[in-house]
Every structure is written in C-alpha cells, then in structure tokens.
Amino acid sequence: PTYDLDYSPAIFSPVDPTTINVESGSGGLIYVLTFTNTNGVLSDFNVIFDPATVTAAADPAVGVNVSLNPKIVVADPVSGIYRFYFEYNNSVGDHRCITDQYIKY
C-alpha cells in the first residue's frame, strides 16, 4: 500500500557531541542514536528508543506496543545513510515490521 513508503523530512537533533535523536515514521517513537567520535570519524553506533516515547506510543489512543527493540541495519555517516529496524503490535494486535531509512541530501 502507498502508506508503506513515506518521504517525509527528518531532523537529526543533537543531544550532546555523541548522541542524536530522530523521530521514527511510526507512532511518535524517538530513536536515540549514540556513537563514538574519534577526531571526526564516527563509529560504534548504537540505537534505542527514548523510553518516554515508548510509553506514550503504548497508550491505547496510539496503540504501538514495541515487540522488538530497534536494530541498526546501516549506519554510514560518510554516505549519510542510516537504516533502523524494529517491530511492534498495533492496537488490534496486528504485527508490524518497520524499517526507517534516513538519507542526507
């Protein structure tokens, strides 16, 4: 379906020199991406969800219950491509597999 692909802009919001936040395209969840910065060379990427956004998304009005925490598929700061994967069950119990991809233009 057409809703499976969304070309919305996303903002990588710095939290500190080695942490950024970026919104998922699903349920208002916020990714927290951490990394090591060695003289401008970024490595050792890790991703989790902001716990407060997981709680808010689980509200019955939103109905997003995360069943598999986010995983990094691609984190390539040189090419400007980041891809994260997670799974959730919606408010009626249907399972969803989500891949959010961010490309710097």
Side-chain angles (χ1 to χ4, degrees), residues 21-84:
N21 287 348
V22 62
E23 188 171 356
S24 168
S26 299
L29 295 162
I30 302 290
Y31 291 108
V32 178
L33 182 66
T34 58
F35 51 89
T36 300
N37 183 344
T38 307
N39 299 319
V41 177
L42 309 183
S43 62
D44 301 321
F45 291 90
N46 291 292
V47 68
I48 63 169
F49 281 129
D50 176 320
T53 66
V54 173
T55 300
D59 182 288
V62 181
V64 173
N65 295 296
V66 175
S67 59
L68 179 68
N69 287 319
K71 310 274 184 225
I72 295 174
V73 178
V74 174
D76 183 347
V78 175
S79 297
I81 299 173
Y82 297 85
R83 190 176 307 129
F84 310 132

Side-chain angles (χ1 to χ4, degrees), residues 29 49 54 58 63-71 85-90 93-98:
L29 295 162
F49 281 129
V54 173
V64 173
N65 295 296
V66 175
S67 59
L68 179 68
N69 287 319
K71 310 274 184 225
Y85 174 86
F86 74 99
E87 297 178 16
Y88 74 87
N89 295 318
N90 66 16
D94 291 335
H95 190 75
R96 300 287 185 251
C97 301
I98 304 298

